[in-house]
Amino acid sequence: ASTQHQPRGAFIVFEGADRAGKSTQCQMLVEHLQAAGVAAELWRFPDRTTAIGKMINSYLTSQAEIDDAAVHLLFSANRWEKREELLRKLRAGTTLVVDRYAYSGVAFTAAKGAPGLDRAWCMAPDAGLPAPDAIFFLNLTVEQAAARGGYGEERYEKADFQRKVLEQFQGMRDSSWRVIDASQSIEDIQQQLREQAGAVVARCQRGGEPIKQLWG
Ligand code: ADP
Ligand code: 2DT
Ligand code: MG
């Protein structure tokens, strides 16, 4: 059997618009898994700690202006530079709970509506990256998100743009995405996530689950 079919960690991605509760739920889920004896790590994209990630951070905090196409490729490169470590961790049995991935990459750039940067163009650089075993989409309207105390200071944190991002997510998501009503209480959402993620972790631990690739 190929090494991909051995028992391994699960690759679990969280997506959703800003303030939907991704970071809160990811953190809680990782702590829950660890307390249950599951090897698990919290990852996030962009990973702002790398050289590429520092350029992305400068862009998001408006310390740098970068061409729309170029910054899109930086976000993708930031995933590619983590690919080997990600695969190594999964094969070593570590479950990765990941706060945003390539779906955010496509949704945020396509939402700009810039000439030439349509969804197909946005998807191309991520083709061949490891695909997650589960995608949880925390579903919240812009109005509900804004009621959580308003958006922050970063480049994309504006209601009009967030609405366009949500439209992109709706157009992209398929039946494999697990849509969670993010207007529920933090505890209720976490309960549902623990059940569903637990099943995915168990499936990957049993083996026989190949690591697929985007955009499969
Ligand atoms: P994201 O990472 O998706 O932007 P966060 O987890 O940072 O979202 O949450 C955004 C804000 O909303 C935080 O102040 C957080 O405490 C709050 N929050 C998160 N989940 C809920 C929820 N289910 N109900 C109400 N407020 C929430
Ligand atoms: P947070 O660190 O708060 O999640 O915000 N983004 C993210 C992109 O534009 N392209 C990408 O590929 C990814 C992963 C979403 C990060 C911001 O960066 C945006 C919000
Ligand atoms: Mg967050």
Side-chain angles (χ1 to χ4, degrees):
S2 91
T3 54
Q4 291 212 335
H5 293 68
Q6 298 301 309
R8 63 171 175 84
F11 177 14
I12 297 172
V13 163
F14 281 77
E15 288 286 6
D18 281 15
R19 306 216 134 232
K22 298 178 300 300
S23 298
T24 301
Q25 297 294 337
C26 284
Q27 180 80 44
M28 290 173 75
L29 180 60
V30 167
E31 284 170 11
H32 165 76
L33 290 169
Q34 290 171 344
V38 175
E41 287 184 12
L42 175 57
W43 282 33
R44 62 183 57 81
F45 287 105
D47 177 338
R48 304 189 195 210
T49 67
T50 70
I52 292 168
K54 290 188 172 86
M55 297 173 71
I56 292 170
N57 184 61
S58 297
Y59 174 78
L60 288 173
T61 56
S62 299
Q63 298 169 79
E65 292 303 318
I66 304 177
D67 172 82
D68 288 332
V71 80
H72 181 78
L73 297 175
L74 288 178
F75 277 107
S76 178
N78 186 232
R79 288 183 280 280
W80 280 103
E81 69 177 335
K82 300 293 289 186
R83 173 181 173 273
E84 279 193 31
E85 186 184 353
L86 187 148
L87 290 172
R88 195 167 359 102
K89 295 264 180 183
L90 293 178
R91 288 173 181 148
T94 301
T95 284
L96 301 178
V97 175
V98 183
D99 189 348
R100 295 192 193 274
Y101 195 54
Y103 313 93
S104 276
V106 174
F108 277 75
T109 301
K112 292 177 175 178
L117 309 191
D118 58 12
R119 191 177 302 151
W121 185 92
C122 291
M123 289 171 72
D126 289 306
L129 281 171
D133 297 300
I135 306 166
F136 289 104
F137 183 74
L138 298 188
N139 200 27
L140 197 70
T141 66
V142 169
E143 289 70 27
Q144 289 167 322
R148 292 188 174 171
Y151 290 110
E153 297 298 309
E154 290 201 340
R155 184 179 289 267
Y156 295 139
E157 299 180 315
K158 309 273 185 308
D160 284 352
F161 188 69
Q162 290 293 321
R163 210 165 270 121
K164 291 179 182 156
V165 170
L166 270 180
E167 282 170 20
Q168 289 297 326
F169 275 128
Q170 312 300 355
M172 214 188 330
R173 77 186 203 211
D174 64 34
S175 59
S176 73
W177 290 36
R178 298 154 187 259
V179 180
I180 306 282
D181 174 4
S183 72
Q184 304 173 87
S185 74
I186 290 177
E187 292 71 24
D188 284 354
I189 295 168
Q190 181 61 205
Q191 183 57 36
Q192 292 154 36
L193 292 173
R194 286 178 183 181
E195 286 168 17
Q196 295 197 39
V200 176
V201 168
R203 204 175 74 214
C204 292
Q205 271 176 352
R206 279 197 298 272
E209 290 288 333
I211 301 171
K212 299 195 180 99
Q213 292 184 355
L214 296 180
W215 294 95

